[in-house]
Each structure stands twice: as structure tokens, then as C-alpha cells.
Amino acid sequence: MAKQIVPKTGIAAGLNKGHVTTLRELKPKPSNKKGVLSKHTKFVRDLVREVVGFAPYEKRVMELLKNSKDKRARKLAKKRLGTLRRAKRKVEDMSNVIAESRRAAAH
């Protein structure tokens, strides 16, 4: 949600009060890149997942999803991960993994 840039009016009162100035183009801050997945990090995570595999609770979540028990899978993930937001994301990832394995099996 970017701020709407409205020019100042030069009047001391009102919504756009203040001295009239020209706005400068500022360089983007490094903090704006926080949380963006880099190529290297993605590669490392994929490699670790390939070598290590899935945690036991993740296997159980996938098994529940295969049996179309989505709500139970979410509840299990929530219990293990702590928040519903994290649980929903994990269940989504696990269902993507299942879909990917089905696509790989089909080819």
C-alpha cells in the first residue's frame, strides 16, 4: 500500500497544509527487499528438501490430504506449527507436493 503523494498547498491549515516543495526521487531502501526469496536460498532449500525429505507430521498431513480430510490436516498442522496462518500455508505446500508427484507419475 503506497502512500498517495499530494502536493502541499502553501496554506497553514487543511489536509495538504505546509510549505510548497519539490519532491525528490529517493533510492529504494534495502529494507524493501526483506523477505524476497533469492535464487541461492531457493536452490539450497530445494536441495535440503531433496536430501532430507519430509518430517513425520508432514507425511501425516499429506496422508490426510490424500484421504480428502483437509480440515483434519489443517488442525494437525496448526497443532504442530502454532498458528493457523502457518498451518494453511503448510497444507497448501503439501497439497502442491502431492499434485507435483501425481504429475510426475503421469509422465
Side-chain angles (χ1 to χ4, degrees):
M1 223 158 100
K3 283 186 180 176
Q4 195 108 27
I5 300 169
V6 183
K8 302 291 184 185
T9 56
I11 300 171
L15 286 174
N16 305 318
K17 67 181 179 183
H19 190 73
V20 178
T21 57
T22 56
L23 295 168
R24 300 183 304 150
E25 277 296 319
L26 299 174
K27 283 192 288 187
K29 290 188 267 182
S31 63
N32 291 344
K33 289 196 321 190
K34 184 175 191 281
V36 176
L37 189 66
S38 70
K39 225 186 297 183
H40 180 71
T41 307
K42 184 178 180 350
F43 169 74
V44 170
R45 284 184 187 161
D46 289 343
L47 185 69
V48 168
R49 175 63 79 188
E50 195 176 312
V51 172
V52 176
F54 295 100
Y57 86 94
E58 289 175 331
K59 290 177 184 171
R60 190 167 162 207
V61 165
M62 285 195 285
E63 196 58 43
L64 288 166
L65 288 170
K66 284 177 187 171
N67 297 330
S68 68
K69 301 215 183 308
D70 297 36
K71 187 172 182 178
R72 176 60 58 192
R74 252 195 317 277
K75 283 177 82 169
L76 173 67
K78 183 180 182 292
K79 187 166 169 46
R80 293 283 186 260
L81 297 171
T83 67
L84 187 62
R85 179 178 278 183
R86 288 177 185 169
K88 284 178 180 175
R89 193 159 155 205
K90 179 61 78 173
V91 168
E92 184 68 35
D93 290 346
M94 294 296 108
S95 55
N96 288 342
V97 167
I98 293 168
E100 194 66 40
S101 66
R102 284 185 181 147
R103 273 196 291 271
H107 282 54

